[in-house]
Amino acid sequence: MIITIPKNNTVNFITKIKTFGIVVDENKHSNDAAGYFDNIEMRLENIKTMLEKYKGLLQDSITISDKIMLEKEINSAETEIETMERSKNEMKSRFEYNTITLVMYNK
């Protein structure tokens, strides 16, 4: 039997399921990639900082070519931020659950 449950309910679930039968094998898999998540957070902050700098430069720019180049950079940064925010949120939701594989027999 394979079950996905919220991480904060894992211990209670395993304790209760053991009352229904004899657990022969138990395997818990957790999606834990905190380092990768932290890396995304750091990259997001860097891109947001660059975006603000680009916006400041855009206000101070004089030539049309500078304005066009900065608009492209701003658009690119905003797109990257949206993509990374979406990835971060998807990843966060996966980290909130454990997958448990149980093999058990009736008592």
Side-chain angles (χ1 to χ4, degrees):
M1 165 178 10
I2 299 174
I3 303 163
T4 301
I5 61 171
K7 274 188 175 182
N8 59 345
N9 292 338
T10 302
V11 174
N12 285 341
F13 173 79
I14 291 174
T15 302
K16 287 182 181 180
I17 199 76
K18 287 179 180 180
T19 64
F20 294 107
I22 299 168
V23 176
V24 177
D25 187 30
E26 167 188 328
N27 183 11
K28 181 178 83 167
H29 175 72
S30 176
N31 293 317
D32 192 10
Y36 183 71
F37 188 80
D38 290 342
N39 187 34
I40 287 179
E41 289 273 307
M42 192 168 57
R43 286 189 62 218
L44 264 170
E45 287 306 311
N46 289 339
I47 294 168
K48 287 177 180 179
T49 300
M50 286 303 299
L51 178 60
E52 292 308 311
K53 287 180 182 178
Y54 289 148
K55 287 179 177 180
L57 289 171
L58 181 62
Q59 290 179 350
D60 297 336
S61 65
I62 297 171
T63 67
I64 297 292
S65 61
D66 286 347
K67 289 182 185 291
I68 291 171
M69 181 194 67
L70 287 165
E71 285 289 344
K72 286 170 78 174
E73 292 297 329
I74 289 170
N75 185 43
S76 177
E78 288 174 339
T79 300
E80 191 168 356
I81 289 170
E82 289 173 12
T83 301
M84 291 179 78
E85 289 281 359
R86 191 173 28 247
S87 294
K88 184 180 89 169
N89 291 336
E90 289 171 4
M91 187 184 311
K92 186 177 178 181
S93 70
R94 280 186 274 153
F95 293 152
E96 294 173 355
Y97 291 89
N98 281 329
T99 301
I100 299 173
T101 305
L102 290 172
V103 177
M104 45 187 309
Y105 295 102
N106 291 335
K107 284 187 175 180

